[in-house]
């Protein structure tokens, strides 16, 4: 028997998708004498949108063919539209946190001691911070340190109070990224510098981080890491010639910071009577717990905690960001005199 | 009679012949199925048992449903026979415990990490001898980098209901099965509220409380950054130096101290009712006899028994034998349990 199909070619190497191949299947199934199974029909439908076997006339075949093609085109179109919509939604909403951060990016944290210092002095300090924060759109969190005296083990050790203060600031501003604690006895001398470009920007931080320096100068065994990249650093602090200088430090708003603040403030550390109080406790933490040290960045002191009467690297120079008066309540120095001198020489915001 | 002319073209190429056969396959399959209906139904039944029965049916090939998301850490060889002689009873107890956990892990597709807790006696007194729980957990987390939850089990524990998976017992309804506040049950009288706790934090540590405080004989810990911090800070020389004389239960007491003092620990810790993963036999917590929250209840099919403290004054071997027999009897009575996933 011969089937005369017009477009048939006698080419023996015909590939499966070609018209002659499909004609063959139709022929063979037709000859076995029963309707092809559902599976076979589905297969043939997928392989080529041919009209089904039951249609007899040519026009009917054509109509069914066009109807089938329109249906399949519609289905594909619907899927395409849905896919495009989903992609758009994903792109829009996947980064929703960075699209709309709530609250200021940087918060300055200030603790005031109104038991030892006069109100007009405190007012000047607050004014200095406020001027800086307003100029750059930062937040300012000010509390009296006596608010936290119930949490601290020994109220005479002033240094510990900054830890619950920072914790409280982080709780109050959950949407902010950086929290900068600056001691009350410090003045922002150059308010034109902003925190991001001066300190926290990744490239800038990478250039500032001191690698392979001893945690406790001059020669403690544990030293800072050499290869940890700056984008993983979440705790930025400076060292003076004695050790960590906790008068000025920056914490990033992450799980790590809550852990460090809470562990640092633990009752057993406060009761242990470290020689340098909370500075000693931090040095202990950094030396014994690599999860703390691995995310700490030690930067040069002059960046944000210079000493006006310091020596060498730590000495304050004109144009430096912050001048710190820490340690001024010893007999040989006078807090008031030093403050007046710095206050009059401070830089103002240039618009 | 088929001859060459019956085909539209002679399928000389191999691919076309192969495709020819493939196209006829579905119809052939259907023919076979129609003819051998009974065999097909039997095969279907076997397949269902293999997939859905949770391992309770012997001799059937089984697809393990469980995920390698869970690792059971079994602490064996406590002391290693250094301070006390390990006689045949101790060896038998160890064998029974290991076999029980192995069967359970195989049944549910969990990993089992058997960790040796022998005393190394290479450290000086001040350096955390028998505080190795923390190091062992850290080491196991490194060994199973893809696992999420780690279930620590002491040696003197027995899984009484092996058909219950961890998902069903704890994790499917994690927020309902655990509680975060000490208001309802505070056997240690820890401070109920401390400042700065975040109650919406992810749960990373699930700990049962017994009559005397936290019980670390059977607890769950999740792989996370929080856990890395906890495992690092758990042992600290300053804490140890000041308190190790008072901290009889070592890591347990250290954790209780940190829970009372550090808010970030409270944020990530949840408690689980003791009888969900850590029921006690009648000998433990004897002062609280009759307390429904503590003791193993076979009518309610408690999951795990922890024979805590059996090595001081009680008979570990006797208790283990008793619970092993009890468990076998309970499994026989409830044959339908393999299907209640």
């Amino acid at each position: 028997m011969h089937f005369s199909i017009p477009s048939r070619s006698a080419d023996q190497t015909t590939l499966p998708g070609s018209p002659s191949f499909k004609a063959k299947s139709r022929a063979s199934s037709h000859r076995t004498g029963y309707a092809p199974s559902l599976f076979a029909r589905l297969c043939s439908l997928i392989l080529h949108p041919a009209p089904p076997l039951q249609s007899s006339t040519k026009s009917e075949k054509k109509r069914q063919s066009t109807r089938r093609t329109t249906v399949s085109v519609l289905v594909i179109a619907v899927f395409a539209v849905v896919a495009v919509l989903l992609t758009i939604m994903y792109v829009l909403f996947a980064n929703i946190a960075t699209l709309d951060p709530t609250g200021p990016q940087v918060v300055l944290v200030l603790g005031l001691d109104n038991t030892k210092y006069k109100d007009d002095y405190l007012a000047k300090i607050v004014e200095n911070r406020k001027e800086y924060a307003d100029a750059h759109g930062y937040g300012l969190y000010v509390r009296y340190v006596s608010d936290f005296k119930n949490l601290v083990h020994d109220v005479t050790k002033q240094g510990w109070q900054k830890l619950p203060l920072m914790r409280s600031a982080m709780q109050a501003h959950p949407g902010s990224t950086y929290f900068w604690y600056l001691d009350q006895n410090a003045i922002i001398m150059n308010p034109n510098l902003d925190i991001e470009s001066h300190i926290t920007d990744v490239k800038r931080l990478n250039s500032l981080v001191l690698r392979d320096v001893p945690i406790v100068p001059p020669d403690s065994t544990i030293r800072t890491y050499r290869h940890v990249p700056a984008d993983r650093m979440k705790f930025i602090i400076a060292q003076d010639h004695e050790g960590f200088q906790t008068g000025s430090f920056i914490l990033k708003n992450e799980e790590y910071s809550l852990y460090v603040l809470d562990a640092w403030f633990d009752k057993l550390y406060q009761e242990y009577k470290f020689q340098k109080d909370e500075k000693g406790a931090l040095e202990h933490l950094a030396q014994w717990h690599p999860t703390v040290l691995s995310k700490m960045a030690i930067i040069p002191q002059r960046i944000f905690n210079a000493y006006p009467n310091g020596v060498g690297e730590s000495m304050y120079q004109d144009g430096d960001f912050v001048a710190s008066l820490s340690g001024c309540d010893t007999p040989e120095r006078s807090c008031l005199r030093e403050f007046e001198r710095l206050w009059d020489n401070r830089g103002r915001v240039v618009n | 009679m088929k001859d060459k002319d019956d085909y539209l073209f002679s399928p000389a190429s191999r691919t076309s012949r192969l495709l020819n056969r493939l196209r006829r396959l579905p119809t052939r399959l259907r023919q076979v199925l129609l003819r051998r209906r009974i065999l097909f139904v039997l095969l279907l039944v076997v397949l269902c048992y293999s997939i859905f029965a949770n391992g309770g049916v012997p001799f059937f090939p089984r697809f393990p449903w469980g995920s390698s998301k869970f690792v059971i850490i079994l602490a064996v060889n406590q002391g290693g026979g250094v301070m006390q002689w390990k006689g045949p009873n101790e060896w038998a107890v160890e064998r029974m415990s290991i076999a029980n956990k192995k069967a359970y892990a195989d049944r549910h597709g969990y990993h089992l990490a058997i960790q040796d807790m022998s005393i190394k006696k290479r450290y000086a007194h001040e350096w955390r001898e028998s505080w190795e729980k923390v190091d062992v957990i850290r080491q196991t987390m490194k060994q199973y980098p893809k696992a999420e939850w780690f279930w620590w089990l002491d040696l003197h524990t027995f899984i009484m209901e092996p058909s219950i998976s961890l998902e069903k017992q704890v994790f499917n309804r994690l927020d309902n099965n655990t509680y975060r506040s000490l208001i309802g049950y505070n056997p240690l009288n820890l401070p109920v509220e401390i400042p700065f706790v975040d109650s919406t934090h992810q749960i990373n540590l699930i700990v049962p409380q017994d009559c005397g405080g936290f019980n670390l004989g059977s607890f769950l810990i999740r792989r996370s950054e929080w856990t890395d911090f906890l495992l690092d800070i758990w042992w600290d020389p300053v804490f140890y130096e000041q308190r190790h004389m008072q901290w009889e239960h070592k890591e347990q007491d250290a954790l209780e101290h940190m829970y009372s003092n550090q808010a970030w620990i409270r944020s990530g810790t949840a408690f689980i009712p003791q009888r969900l993963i850590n029921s006690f036999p009648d000998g433990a917590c004897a002062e609280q006899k009759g307390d429904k929250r503590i003791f193993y209840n076979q009518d309610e099919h408690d999951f795990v028994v922890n024979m805590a403290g059996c090595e001081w004054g009680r008979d570990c071997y006797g208790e283990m034998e008793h619970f092993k027999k009890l468990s076998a009897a309970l499994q026989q009575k409830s044959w339908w349990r393999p299907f209640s996933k």
Side-chain angles (χ1 to χ4, degrees):
Chain A
M1 275 202 301
H2 288 274
F3 291 86
S4 51
I5 290 170
S7 57
R8 176 172 65 97
S9 73
D11 189 8
Q12 289 190 349
T13 57
T14 317
L15 292 173
S18 68
S20 6
F21 196 73
K22 79 175 183 249
K24 175 181 98 74
S25 81
R26 246 187 305 162
S28 57
S29 57
H30 183 71
R31 286 183 334 121
T32 48
Y34 67 92
S37 69
L38 181 67
F39 186 69
R41 264 188 277 161
L42 272 172
C43 279
S44 57
L45 188 68
I46 292 165
L47 286 170
H48 46 81
L53 209 56
Q54 289 86 343
S55 59
S56 42
T57 60
K58 231 181 193 168
S59 61
E60 239 185 79
K61 277 186 199 169
K62 207 172 185 176
R63 229 183 300 131
Q64 286 204 356
S65 149
T66 41
R67 190 172 39 170
R68 200 163 293 269
T69 28
T70 36
V71 164
S72 47
V73 164
L74 268 174
V75 164
I76 292 172
V78 164
F79 275 121
V81 165
V82 167
V84 166
L85 277 175
L86 284 174
T87 327
I88 292 175
M89 283 174 63
Y90 175 73
V91 163
L92 276 182
F93 294 117
N95 297 319
I96 193 112
T98 56
L99 283 179
D100 183 26
T102 49
Q105 274 289 89
V106 179
V107 174
L108 271 69
V109 180
L110 174 64
L112 299 176
D113 182 2
N114 60 347
T115 56
K116 273 202 237 165
Y117 296 90
K118 291 212 209 62
D119 278 347
D120 55 346
Y121 171 74
L122 296 178
K124 281 187 180 159
I125 300 287
V126 175
E127 181 203 319
N128 174 250
R129 305 286 192 268
K130 194 161 184 314
E131 184 190 338
Y132 179 72
D134 284 344
H136 295 278
Y138 297 155
L140 178 59
Y141 185 85
V142 188
R143 296 282 295 269
Y144 287 119
V145 291
S146 51
D147 287 350
F148 302 103
K149 67 175 191 290
N150 292 329
L151 296 173
V152 176
H153 173 69
D154 180 359
V155 274
T156 58
K157 305 265 170 66
Q158 292 283 333
W160 291 103
Q161 281 152 349
K162 58 174 74 102
L163 301 177
L165 169 65
M166 267 297 256
R167 194 69 163 87
S168 185
M170 294 182 89
Q171 196 179 41
H173 293 274
S176 304
T177 312
Y178 291 103
F179 290 85
W180 177 26
Y181 174 81
L182 186 57
D183 237 357
Q184 172 203 289
N185 294 334
I187 306 177
I188 300 178
M189 298 298 284
N190 187 354
N192 296 304
L193 295 168
D194 66 309
I195 293 283
E196 285 96 345
S197 59
H198 187 57
I199 302 175
T200 61
D201 173 66
V202 175
K203 282 208 183 67
R204 168 76 173 159
L205 188 58
N206 214 359
S207 66
L208 291 174
V209 166
L210 300 173
R211 304 204 182 261
D212 204 26
V213 297
I215 301 293
V216 185
D219 55 5
S220 73
T221 320
I222 308 289
R223 306 167 87 96
T224 52
Y225 291 113
R226 272 176 278 170
H227 299 295
V228 177
D231 55 358
R232 277 194 233 161
M233 303 293 193
K234 299 185 170 117
F235 186 176
I236 304 171
I237 194 168
Q239 264 183 327
D240 64 10
H241 57 282
E242 279 179 2
F244 281 134
Q245 207 357 286
T246 52
S248 168
F249 60 90
I250 296 178
L251 277 174
K252 219 170 165 188
N253 188 4
E254 293 194 23
E255 176 102 65
Y256 166 82
S257 305
L258 306 181
Y259 153 60
V260 168
L261 286 172
D262 285 337
W264 190 358
F265 193 61
D266 192 282
K267 196 166 68 130
L268 287 176
Y269 285 147
Q270 295 180 51
E271 288 174 4
Y272 188 64
K273 298 190 182 8
F274 285 100
Q275 239 184 351
K276 292 186 269 183
D277 300 336
E278 87 283 0
K279 301 189 192 46
L282 184 62
E283 282 164 10
H284 171 86
L285 262 181
Q287 290 180 85
W288 280 97
H289 298 290
T291 49
V292 173
L293 183 58
S294 58
K295 299 193 169 72
M296 275 178 88
I298 300 183
I299 64 176
Q301 196 185 344
R302 268 186 59 215
I303 299 289
F304 66 170
N305 203 358
Y307 288 166
N309 57 339
V311 284
E313 286 294 313
S314 61
M315 179 151 169
Y316 170 76
Q317 288 164 23
D318 282 334
D320 276 349
F321 189 26
V322 170
S324 163
L325 291 164
S326 84
C328 70
D329 40 15
T330 51
E332 347 26 287
R333 291 165 61 178
S334 162
C335 280
L336 197 60
R337 232 184 318 133
E338 290 183 25
F339 173 76
E340 291 297 328
R341 191 164 38 115
L342 286 168
W343 183 254
D344 296 331
N345 286 336
R346 77 188 193 284
R348 307 305 300 267
V349 174
V350 171
N351 284 329
Chain B
M1 196 56 191
K2 288 184 200 169
D3 65 329
K4 247 196 194 171
D5 288 343
D6 286 347
Y7 295 97
L8 288 175
F9 59 94
S10 5
S13 70
R14 209 171 282 167
T15 38
S16 49
R17 257 183 283 153
L18 188 65
L19 279 154
N20 195 12
R21 277 205 204 99
L22 278 176
R23 297 192 106 202
R24 278 198 237 127
L25 205 62
T27 52
R28 197 165 278 170
L29 199 65
R30 227 183 71 147
Q31 279 176 307
V32 168
L33 284 180
L34 283 170
R35 277 188 212 134
R36 308 254 182 270
R37 278 183 281 263
I38 298 170
L39 182 66
F40 175 62
V41 166
L42 271 174
L43 275 171
L44 196 66
V45 166
V46 171
L47 201 67
C48 280
Y49 259 83
S50 297
I51 295 177
F52 296 113
N54 199 359
V57 192
F59 307 118
F60 264 97
R62 211 172 43 83
F63 296 101
W65 269 109
S67 66
S68 53
K69 211 169 75 143
F70 298 101
V71 174
I72 303 176
I73 309 178
L74 179 59
V76 301
N77 204 15
Q78 196 83 32
V82 172
M83 305 298 276
Q84 288 158 313
W85 181 251
K86 244 176 122 174
N89 275 358
E90 279 80 26
W91 286 108
V93 159
E94 198 164 297
R95 265 201 308 272
M96 284 192 275
S97 183
I98 293 178
N100 170 249
K101 313 302 184 295
K102 232 188 219 160
Y104 181 77
D106 283 342
R107 185 162 172 168
H108 292 277
Y110 303 153
H111 294 294
L112 175 63
I114 300 176
Q115 305 288 17
D116 182 17
M117 306 289 287
S118 52
I119 293 180
K120 305 285 190 297
K121 271 299 187 198
R122 61 170 181 239
Y123 302 128
H125 161 68
E126 300 297 323
W127 182 251
R128 61 168 140 185
E129 189 68 70
S130 55
W131 270 70
E132 287 104 358
K133 206 171 259 190
V134 174
D135 293 334
V136 166
I137 297 177
R138 232 198 309 222
Q139 194 185 27
T140 315
M141 284 197 176
K142 261 192 231 153
Q143 285 171 341
Y144 295 92
K146 296 215 184 86
E148 191 192 351
W149 280 99
F150 294 80
W151 183 20
W152 176 279
L153 276 174
D154 273 350
L155 181 68
H156 297 125
T157 50
F158 201 85
I159 300 178
M160 299 296 284
E161 299 286 333
S163 57
I164 305 178
S165 64
L166 275 176
E167 289 98 328
K168 182 171 174 229
Q169 183 71 356
V170 179
F171 293 105
N172 283 346
R173 295 168 66 234
L174 184 60
D175 289 319
N176 283 345
N177 286 331
T178 56
Y179 60 97
R180 296 227 205 195
S181 153
L182 285 172
I183 292 178
Y185 184 44
N186 190 0
L188 267 180
N189 284 320
L190 297 174
V192 173
E193 287 269 350
I194 61 173
F196 309 125
V197 176
D198 174 15
S199 53
T200 61
H201 195 282
Q202 183 192 57
I203 297 176
N204 288 314
L205 176 65
I206 303 175
V207 171
Q209 290 193 86
D210 65 26
C211 55
F214 298 6
N215 187 297
L216 293 183
S218 163
F219 68 95
L220 293 145
I221 192 163
R222 191 205 296 248
R223 174 197 299 283
S224 67
E225 197 188 23
W226 184 95
T227 303
D228 288 337
F229 296 151
L230 172 67
L231 296 176
D232 191 21
I233 197 81
W234 207 327
W235 189 86
D236 180 82
V238 165
F239 291 8
Y240 185 83
E241 187 183 318
Q242 293 185 74
R243 289 280 199 268
H244 74 272
M245 300 304 273
Q246 292 149 300
W247 285 348
E248 264 181 41
H249 295 124
K250 308 182 178 83
E251 297 100 339
Q252 203 166 290
D253 290 320
L255 183 64
E256 285 161 11
H257 165 84
M258 288 195 292
Y259 186 85
S260 319
N261 285 287
Q262 297 181 24
W264 71 285
I265 297 243
R266 276 208 193 203
S267 306
T269 305
F271 299 111
I272 190 169
Q274 190 181 349
R275 277 182 47 222
L276 276 181
I277 57 167
N278 200 355
S279 315
F280 273 5
D282 284 332
C285 274
E287 321 79 63
Q288 313 269 5
K289 209 170 169 60
D291 191 334
K292 284 207 189 305
R293 293 172 296 198
I294 300 179
F295 296 104
Y296 172 72
N297 187 336
Q298 74 184 65
D299 299 324
E300 292 186 31
H301 297 279
D302 284 356
F303 184 36
V304 171
V305 165
N306 176 7
M307 290 152 263
C310 67
E311 60 264 27
W312 289 300
R314 305 201 315 262
D315 177 18
C316 286
Y317 177 71
E319 288 189 10
M320 186 74 90
E321 272 282 315
H322 163 73
F323 282 110
K324 183 173 166 197
K325 287 196 186 106
L326 182 57
S327 170
L330 286 171
Q331 295 315 302
Q332 271 192 332
K333 267 199 260 174
S334 43
W335 56 270
W336 64 89
R337 282 193 164 257
F339 296 98
S340 59
K341 243 193 126 277

